[in-house]
Structures are given as C-alpha cells and as structure tokens.
Amino acid sequence: MKSHYHCVYKLKYYLVLVTKYRRRCFTAPMLVRLEEICRDLCQKWEVDLEEFGGEADHVHLMLDLHPNIMPSKFVNNLKTVTSRLIRKEFSKHLKMHYWKPVLWTRAYCLITADGAPLEVLKEYIQKQERPEK
C-alpha cells in the first residue's frame, strides 16, 4: 500500500499495446529501446513500471499508478511518445511494415490487477459489523 495525504491506495494496472494491423514489426533492439522510453516516461509521470515485456506485435506493461493520474491520459501520452520516438529511431525498418506514420492501433487493453479476488472483497464488505443503532 502507498499513501498520499489523506489517501491510501494500491492501483495496479496491466496494459497491452498492439501494433497497427497487428504487424510483427518489433525486433529485440526495438523492444529494448521501447522499454527504456517507457521507463523514462513513467518516471516523468511518477508511475512505477513494474514489468515490461513484448513480442513482435505487442507489448505488456505492469503499472502502479497514483490516484491523481487519469489512466487514459497516461496511456495516450505513452502511445504518442513511444510511437514518435520509435518511428524516428527505427524509421528504415518500420518503412517495410508501414507506409504511414503509425505504430500502435487506436485501441488498448487496460485491466486493473493485483489484490484479492472480487469474491473475497465482496465477502469482506458483507461481513462488516454494522452498528445496531
């Protein structure tokens, strides 16, 4: 658990970003560079990047976000910055896969993660002792 002023929180997110048209365009050096960019950007946003992994057509990130951060704004910034830098640094390679300046599909998958299963939380909430009066 983390705390901030009057707030205690634990907000873990699992993020999956997929390449446009699911093209298998990432190489090992590109994934290394993508991780560096993501870690740098997370540091600027004060987000903990706990895990990073990827394949030729998508990447996975495990994130720990502060409650003041809007996940959609962070993800859109992450996609914009990574796309711009990767397209710039690996332009020759990416021209074989894309004829327009794109990298990611518009969609993304963001799932809350960690903590107790929902049924355990529901049971815990139901068993709270209510005052009689």
Side-chain angles (χ1 to χ4, degrees):
M1 297 283 202
K2 293 183 178 182
S3 63
H4 179 73
Y5 296 108
H6 304 288
C7 172
V8 176
Y9 65 94
K10 185 176 184 180
L11 299 172
K12 306 276 186 181
Y13 291 91
Y14 172 61
L15 173 65
V16 181
L17 301 176
V18 179
T19 59
K20 187 84 167 175
Y21 312 120
R22 199 81 190 214
R23 298 269 163 82
R24 301 180 60 78
C25 61
F26 291 146
T27 62
M30 289 174 80
L31 288 172
V32 168
R33 182 62 180 129
L34 253 173
E35 181 175 3
E36 290 171 358
I37 295 166
C38 288
R39 289 198 182 280
D40 183 52
L41 197 60
C42 284
Q43 187 176 12
K44 289 176 183 169
W45 277 74
E46 298 180 2
V47 169
D48 291 333
L49 175 56
E50 296 182 355
E51 291 291 329
F52 179 94
E55 295 184 18
D57 61 355
H58 66 280
V59 294
H60 302 261
L61 295 89
M62 181 62 72
L63 305 165
D64 187 343
L65 271 68
H66 187 278
N68 290 346
I69 296 173
M70 287 179 56
S72 61
K73 286 193 178 210
F74 171 73
V75 171
N76 286 330
N77 183 253
L78 183 76
K79 288 173 64 176
T80 300
V81 171
T82 55
S83 176
R84 181 175 37 82
L85 292 175
I86 291 296
R87 285 185 293 109
K88 180 180 175 185
E89 296 174 25
F90 297 92
S91 61
K92 187 175 180 180
H93 172 75
L94 288 173
K95 282 182 183 177
M96 296 185 303
H97 299 277
Y98 300 110
W99 54 95
K100 291 183 178 180
V102 296
L103 181 62
W104 304 115
T105 185
R106 286 182 14 183
Y108 58 87
C109 176
L110 184 66
I111 302 169
T112 54
D114 202 41
L118 290 178
E119 291 305 315
V120 173
L121 291 174
K122 286 179 183 177
E123 186 178 323
Y124 175 77
I125 291 168
Q126 291 168 356
K127 290 186 176 182
Q128 295 299 298
E129 293 183 29
R130 289 183 180 228
E132 294 293 323
K133 292 185 180 181

